[in-house]
Amino acid sequence: MKIKTESKIQLAFLLILVCVLVGIHTAMPDFYKTLFYLSTQGDVEQIIEFFRSFGIWAILISFLVDVIVNSLGFLPSIFISTANGILFGLPLGILISWTAESVGVIISFFIMRFLLRDTAL
């Protein structure tokens, strides 16, 4: 019985993850390409301009980008954290970055724990 419950949790988590990723791609088709480019270039000014382009949604987009980068685990997030500090001020920038990085690491943990556990053995 435990195996069936665990499989259902894995399937539900995978479906939620796929829906979120497809939703982001549907809303912004070039989002992942831009995210990869900005994360690997390290140009803080470009990251700031990218976030500014979202106007009042900049904090939310910055938060989501930081969560995605930290969930993936192989892209550097220091440039996003630096951009948050410059763009939103030090206290708010630290709060956004710290919260987003924590959420990203938690998501990464759940991906490893529930989806990839069997492959890690």
Side-chain angles (χ1 to χ4, degrees), residues 60-78:
L60 178 64
I61 298 301
S62 170
F63 180 84
L64 292 175
V65 166
D66 213 351
V67 166
I68 291 169
V69 166
N70 282 284
S71 296
L72 294 175
F74 65 89
L75 294 173
S77 65
I78 187 67

Side-chain angles (χ1 to χ4, degrees), residues 82-97:
T82 303
N84 285 342
I86 294 170
L87 184 59
F88 305 118
L90 203 53
L92 183 58
I94 289 172
L95 180 66
I96 293 167
S97 296

Side-chain angles (χ1 to χ4, degrees), residues 8-21:
K8 288 179 184 178
I9 291 171
Q10 287 177 335
L11 182 61
F13 189 73
L14 183 62
L15 287 174
I16 291 169
L17 183 63
V18 167
C19 286
V20 168
L21 295 176

Side-chain angles (χ1 to χ4, degrees), residues 3 7 14 16 18-19 31-33 43-44 52 57 62 65 84 97-98 108 116 119:
I3 295 174
S7 295
L14 183 62
I16 291 169
V18 167
C19 286
F31 179 78
Y32 296 114
K33 182 176 80 172
D43 187 349
V44 176
R52 277 190 183 142
W57 298 101
S62 170
V65 166
N84 285 342
S97 296
W98 178 76
S108 181
L116 303 175
T119 60

Side-chain angles (χ1 to χ4, degrees), residues 101-112:
E101 289 186 22
S102 298
V103 170
V105 169
I106 291 168
I107 290 170
S108 181
F109 170 79
F110 280 111
I111 289 171
M112 290 300 295

